[in-house]
Amino acid sequence: QVQVVESGGGLVQAGESLRLSCTASGGRFSVNVMGWYRQALGKQRELVASISSPDGSTTYADFAKGRFSISRDNAKKTTYLQMGSLKPEDTGLYTCKMRYFGLDYWGTGTLVTVSS
């Protein structure tokens, strides 16, 4: 059974950095697409960034380019989202998704709050 669990959220001030982690269990972690999504209050969930394995290709939302960086450590079955220059509008629930052989497995999310 595949499961993903996020961690690393919290309260930070504008301009600070935060690193989120997403650890998977079950399945072959080296063959999947890991993605970070976020949802602000009253808004739809949106893709932040994704990273594929084994090719390592990445995609970023426009708002994430230049500020956020996604990476993965297959040995630890963990995907990271390094967020920098955070803004109050980055506040939201950040959720990890693992796409594995056509099926999506979602975590429950970790809350990021950026104060001005």
Side-chain angles (χ1 to χ4, degrees):
Q1 182 178 357
V2 176
Q3 291 183 319
V4 293
V5 178
E6 305 93 339
S7 62
L11 173 64
V12 296
Q13 292 187 337
E16 295 185 338
S17 299
L18 202 61
R19 189 177 80 159
L20 307 182
S21 300
C22 171
T23 300
S25 60
R28 290 176 57 197
F29 188 76
S30 60
V31 184
N32 63 36
V33 179
M34 300 298 297
W36 281 99
Y37 293 75
R38 73 181 188 184
Q39 185 170 21
L41 192 64
K43 295 186 177 181
Q44 289 189 328
R45 184 166 57 193
E46 59 184 348
L47 174 69
V48 179
S50 67
I51 183 167
S52 300
S53 182
D55 64 352
S57 60
T58 58
T59 59
Y60 291 91
D62 286 343
F63 64 80
K65 292 177 181 177
R67 297 192 299 129
F68 296 0
S69 178
I70 190 170
S71 61
R72 61 190 294 157
D73 184 336
N74 286 350
K76 295 182 178 180
K77 295 188 174 182
T78 299
T79 300
Y80 304 98
L81 183 67
Q82 180 69 47
M83 304 186 293
S85 301
L86 284 163
K87 306 173 183 179
E89 52 263 44
D90 293 318
T91 294
L93 182 68
Y94 285 69
T95 307
C96 178
K97 184 190 81 173
M98 175 175 171
R99 170 155 287 188
Y100 184 61
F101 287 103
L103 296 179
D104 292 336
Y105 300 88
W106 292 89
T108 56
T110 185
L111 186 62
V112 173
T113 304
V114 184
S115 64
S116 58

